[in-house]
Amino acid sequence: MGPLVLLAVGCSTSTSPQPDSPSSSAGWPDASDTTNAACPETAPVPSGSVPVAVHDFDKKIEWYGTDDLWVAKPRLLDHTDEREERYRTKYASITLDAQGRVTDQKGAPHVDVERLNRSGSARGSTGGFATADGDRQWWPTVINFPEPGCWQVTETLGSTEVRFTVHVAAR
């Protein structure tokens, strides 16, 4: 399987419309808007294309990824009253060796989070390599979104990049 970069169609960081971006009349949702019409989330990789070691981690999870880096589709877990951690998500990132086995030998993925519907960034990080249930291994990943909006998450591991877009709705 060759390199695959996942991008959401329709979101752009540019102020002028790009060929695949929504028309200028589409606009972005207000912070209180709970729809995601102007921020389509990136579709996960079809389950038949997910490596066995990743699929075996949890057969119910949807994944973004390519080659040696796979990211569980995040879901908003909780809303906090902490100013720096208003909307938080936790999910698994999995790194694979050349034989398709889970490994920590390449180190933790790097997480960048940028807001697409106006300026801003969020804090993303990975914890230490975790093991549970005897053989499930992953990099626990957390993103603290300061507010609702359209967000692009980019995880990198060496030259591998996994990019996806999520809409964080107001609660």
Side-chain angles (χ1 to χ4, degrees):
M1 181 171 161
L4 171 74
V5 177
L6 299 172
L7 299 173
V9 176
C11 288
S12 172
T13 57
S14 173
T15 56
S16 62
Q18 297 296 314
D20 293 333
S21 65
S23 68
S24 57
S25 64
W28 290 100
D30 181 72
S32 63
D33 186 354
T34 58
T35 68
N36 65 354
C39 182
E41 293 187 11
T42 306
V45 173
S47 62
S49 299
V50 175
V52 172
V54 174
H55 186 68
D56 286 349
F57 177 83
D58 187 327
K59 292 174 176 46
K60 296 177 184 175
I61 293 178
E62 295 180 299
W63 296 92
Y64 302 117
T66 187
D67 299 331
D68 57 352
L69 178 57
W70 289 84
V71 178
K73 182 179 179 182
R75 59 185 177 86
L76 200 58
L77 292 179
D78 53 357
H79 175 251
T80 71
D81 292 327
E82 297 296 321
R83 181 170 168 78
E84 305 81 35
E85 301 177 354
R86 295 285 313 264
Y87 299 86
R88 177 177 31 221
T89 186
K90 299 176 185 178
Y91 59 92
S93 297
I94 295 180
T95 51
L96 303 176
D97 64 16
Q99 289 73 41
R101 296 179 302 228
V102 178
T103 184
D104 64 345
Q105 296 302 305
K106 297 177 181 182
H110 178 76
V111 183
D112 286 312
V113 186
E114 294 296 323
R115 188 163 185 175
L116 296 177
N117 57 328
R118 65 175 85 138
S119 65
S121 60
R123 193 177 60 209
S125 62
T126 52
F129 196 65
T131 301
D133 302 327
D135 60 351
R136 288 174 24 124
Q137 297 178 307
W138 73 99
W139 297 97
T141 308
V142 176
I143 299 174
N144 293 308
F145 298 100
E147 60 187 359
C150 185
W151 298 89
Q152 179 176 271
V153 179
T154 305
E155 286 203 29
T156 54
L157 180 70
S159 62
T160 304
E161 183 176 90
V162 177
R163 181 175 298 163
F164 56 95
T165 301
V166 296
H167 179 262
V168 176
R171 291 188 175 222

